[in-house]
Amino acid sequence: VNRHDRFETLLQQVRTTALGAYAHQDMPFEQLVEVLKPERHVSHAPLFQVMLVLQNSPMGSLALPDMTLEPMAVDCGIAKFDLALDITEGADQLFARLEYNTDLFDVTTIQRISGHFIRLLQAVTHDPACRIGDLPMLDDDERKQLLLDWNDTADNVAGAKTIHQMFEAQVMQTPDRIAVVCGDAKMTYAELNAKANQLARHLRSLGVGPDIPVGICIQRSPEMVTALIAVLKAGGAYVALDPAYPKERLTLMLADSNPAVLLTQQHLLKDLPTADIATFAVDTEWPTIHHYASNNLDNISQPSNLAYIIYTSGSTGKPKGACLSIAALLNLITWQLRPENKPGHHPSTILQFASLNFDVSFQEIASTLCAGDRLVLIDEFLRKDIEGLRQFIYDTGFQRIFLPNAVLQQFASLPASGNASPHACEIITAGEQLVITDMLTAYVKSLGGQFMYNQYGPSESHVVTQFRLACSEIDQWPDRPPIGRPIANTQIYLLDADLHPVPVGVAGELYIAGDGLARGYLNRPDLTAEKFL
């Protein structure tokens, strides 16, 4: 069936096919199965699972003296097929009976399917020339539920205009609290803010301002966090460049983004194509900016300006630079800092696990530093040492960890640790389908977990939805938890190929809308126009 065909065309095709089939109506079904030899399965009938029966042959009437006869539906207690629709033609109306497999459908679903079928019939009788793809299935209440009620996420994002202003407000409250820890290195909120201000002033002297890209290619360290905040304070947009990436990929990203400045480390310069780019090595050149003032700069950023450019993996082609605005990330962090989305313990200790090239790193860093919590960075060796990292998490007593599902499953597959110390941890996971196993629930219990949050969102919008799993109900967790409902000021729609909303239970493609959307792809107006409808 082609969705662009008109219904009357489809009706003619069905008529022709049905009449052709009648020429073979005497073929025994058992013989047909024997000839075709379909793959047999105990869960469904061979050849087909849905049947339509139309009884339109005249039925003789049976009259008995002093008696009134009428047909009765008899429930035989078993469904031969997944669905079977039996229609009988009366004198001036049709009588329909829908039989269904209760292992697959509940009565609510069947009632909804019946309503959709009736609306289709009404539509095609009203306009037989209607395109198949335009035939309506939803009534007004269903459309309202799908498009409005389930997307009623409006939430006022009041206060700061930028992320760095949120951070600065926290510095005012807790200047002496430890902000960043990496091995033996520690920085207080006041120290981090002062260094970021000095570096931001240096960046502005080099021409950095709103929507000007600044590359960050720094190994995991307090300097990496300082550089990120400094770029935002200067008004620029940071371009995440993982030092572990192949030189060819870094070359491509630098050529595409063309940053005004590259913040890096001295030992990394030899592997970076920096001939036409101003560079600043944060480990060796820092004394050159000590003369800059360390107080906060005047804000020159607007919510519509860029905050970062993060490149996609390129698994489906050339890597694309997703351009996220300050407004989109401000919405995310404000939502993340809601009381229901924050650990109960305060101040909390938060693990910073993700590479800067993955958008979750921004969520880890900004949601921690804008809340007055402690951010703990790990070096690349520990990050890849699954056994060592799992024990480090036990020993440190994190109140929140952001980990991909794949890493969680690796932790869960390791032998139980005798040194586990439960500490009321919250786990945020994303990246791929969350699968709940006995080993995973045992690991979560060993952490003394309170909640696990299953989040979803592509690079083009960061977090879009969240589903919360309470650890007090861990034995009732579904095997494959859903991705949840849209976050604040975000909408999600399941649409068909003609961009019509699909009914509940019908597969569609996920479309994302709202404040969290990226501005588009860097230097790719054609692809932006194609994907950002």
Side-chain angles (χ1 to χ4, degrees):
V1 177
N2 189 323
R3 70 180 191 276
H4 299 295
D5 287 344
R6 301 190 181 279
F7 173 75
E8 56 191 6
T9 303
L10 172 64
L11 188 62
Q12 184 59 44
Q13 291 175 353
V14 171
R15 181 179 185 274
T16 301
T17 301
L19 290 175
Y22 287 143
H24 308 284
Q25 60 183 315
D26 294 330
M27 172 71 69
F29 182 73
E30 294 77 7
Q31 185 177 348
L32 192 63
V33 172
E34 178 63 27
V35 171
L36 295 177
K37 293 182 172 57
E39 184 179 350
R40 306 301 290 264
H41 200 285
V42 295
S43 64
H44 58 75
L47 295 187
F48 64 91
Q49 290 80 50
V50 178
M51 182 170 69
L52 169 65
V53 177
L54 175 61
Q55 298 284 3
N56 62 344
S57 299
M59 300 289 289
S61 59
L62 177 62
L64 297 175
D66 301 324
M67 297 184 70
T68 300
L69 304 178
E70 62 181 44
M72 292 182 62
V74 177
D75 185 357
C76 63
I78 188 172
K80 295 181 179 179
F81 303 98
D82 294 353
L83 280 174
L85 179 60
D86 194 337
I87 301 176
T88 303
E89 187 175 311
D92 56 359
Q93 58 187 319
L94 298 175
F95 299 91
R97 178 174 179 267
L98 189 58
E99 182 180 88
Y100 61 94
N101 186 336
T102 55
D103 289 337
L104 301 176
F105 303 99
D106 58 26
V107 65
T108 303
T109 302
I110 294 300
Q111 289 171 343
R112 187 165 57 243
I113 291 174
S114 301
H116 295 159
F117 185 57
I118 291 172
R119 273 184 289 284
L120 283 173
L121 294 179
Q122 291 170 336
V124 298
T125 53
H126 175 72
D127 181 14
C130 180
R131 282 193 335 128
I132 294 172
D134 292 334
L135 289 172
M137 295 178 66
L138 304 172
D139 62 23
D140 291 342
D141 288 341
E142 284 180 297
R143 288 184 65 86
K144 179 175 179 294
Q145 182 185 56
L146 293 171
L147 301 180
L148 300 177
D149 295 347
W150 288 352
N151 281 310
D152 183 13
T153 60
D155 187 32
N156 183 32
V157 180
K161 293 171 59 177
T162 68
I163 296 293
H164 68 264
Q165 285 179 319
M166 290 181 67
F167 168 70
E168 290 168 356
Q170 185 59 51
V171 174
M172 291 288 292
Q173 296 180 43
T174 59
D176 299 323
R177 183 178 293 171
I178 297 298
V180 178
V181 177
C182 185
D184 295 330
K186 296 180 181 179
M187 293 179 69
T188 66
Y189 273 82
E191 291 169 341
L192 175 60
N193 190 52
K195 285 183 174 292
N197 285 332
Q198 290 179 312
L199 181 54
R201 283 187 166 87
H202 179 59
L203 293 175
R204 282 193 183 176
S205 74
L206 297 175
V208 174
D211 291 345
I212 300 297
V214 177
I216 298 180
C217 187
I218 301 174
Q219 290 181 325
R220 305 167 65 81
S221 61
E223 289 74 24
M224 182 188 78
V225 179
T226 304
L228 187 155
I229 297 174
V231 173
L232 298 179
K233 283 174 172 280
Y238 74 85
V239 181
L241 301 162
D242 191 332
Y245 276 178
K247 184 176 182 178
E248 294 75 14
R249 179 174 172 85
L250 292 174
T251 301
L252 183 153
M253 295 163 68
L254 283 168
D256 188 58
S257 60
N258 189 28
V261 186
L262 175 61
L263 301 176
T264 185
Q265 292 163 303
Q266 190 67 36
H267 68 282
L268 298 176
L269 284 172
K270 64 181 185 300
D271 294 320
L272 294 171
T274 59
D276 300 321
I277 304 174
T279 60
F280 181 84
V282 296
D283 52 345
T284 60
E285 296 184 52
W286 198 270
T288 64
I289 61 170
H290 73 279
H291 61 279
Y292 285 112
S294 61
N295 60 305
N296 292 334
L297 294 75
D298 293 335
N299 176 54
I300 61 174
S301 300
Q302 296 299 319
S304 60
N305 292 137
L306 289 181
Y308 70 59
I309 300 167
I310 285 184
Y311 281 80
T312 61
S313 65
S315 57
T316 57
K318 180 182 177 181
K320 306 177 291 291
C323 303
L324 267 290
S325 70
I326 294 170
L329 298 173
L330 194 64
N331 182 72
L332 168 66
I333 299 305
T334 303
W335 167 81
Q336 185 70 70
L337 295 185
R338 280 178 169 181
E340 64 268 26
N341 293 325
K342 277 180 66 10
H345 182 276
H346 188 75
S348 299
T349 302
I350 313 297
L351 173 67
Q352 201 284 297
F353 171 83
S355 162
L356 203 62
N357 270 80
F358 292 94
D359 53 11
V360 71
S361 63
F362 182 89
Q363 188 182 5
E364 290 173 321
I365 295 169
S367 66
T368 301
L369 298 180
C370 290
D373 294 328
R374 177 181 299 196
L375 186 71
V376 178
L377 288 83
I378 52 176
D379 61 33
E380 204 62 32
F381 178 80
L382 180 58
R383 184 172 174 268
K384 296 177 179 179
D385 177 9
I386 292 299
E387 292 189 31
L389 179 57
R390 188 178 77 158
Q391 191 59 51
F392 179 76
I393 290 173
Y394 281 141
D395 295 341
T396 305
F398 291 103
Q399 277 71 53
R400 169 171 283 168
I401 52 177
F402 296 73
L403 290 172
N405 180 42
V407 175
L408 280 178
Q409 301 294 351
Q410 287 180 287
F411 284 167
S413 67
L414 295 174
S417 172
N419 300 320
S421 55
H423 45 259
C425 183
E426 292 191 340
I427 302 168
I428 294 178
T429 188
E432 58 266 314
Q433 167 75 58
L434 174 59
V435 179
I436 303 299
T437 63
D438 290 341
M439 289 190 298
L440 181 61
T441 56
Y443 173 65
V444 173
K445 289 178 181 178
S446 74
L447 290 174
Q450 292 178 312
F451 295 101
M452 177 181 283
Y453 298 90
N454 188 30
Q455 294 184 348
Y456 164 78
S459 299
E460 292 81 354
S461 60
H462 216 312
V463 176
V464 175
T465 64
Q466 174 174 275
F467 185 78
R468 185 169 75 168
L469 295 155
C471 295
S472 59
E473 303 169 354
I474 196 168
D475 294 331
Q476 285 78 49
W477 284 4
D479 292 340
R480 293 177 180 270
I483 61 172
R485 297 290 179 89
I487 70 168
N489 301 309
T490 299
Q491 296 82 45
I492 58 172
Y493 305 100
L494 281 173
L495 307 180
D496 63 18
D498 293 297
L499 303 186
H500 299 313
V502 297
V504 171
V506 175
E509 190 166 9
L510 186 67
Y511 285 76
I512 302 165
D515 292 354
L517 284 184
R519 281 181 16 184
Y521 298 116
L522 184 68
N523 302 326
R524 302 289 296 275
D526 52 341
L527 192 61
T528 298
E530 176 187 342
K531 297 298 184 182
F532 289 81
L533 305 182

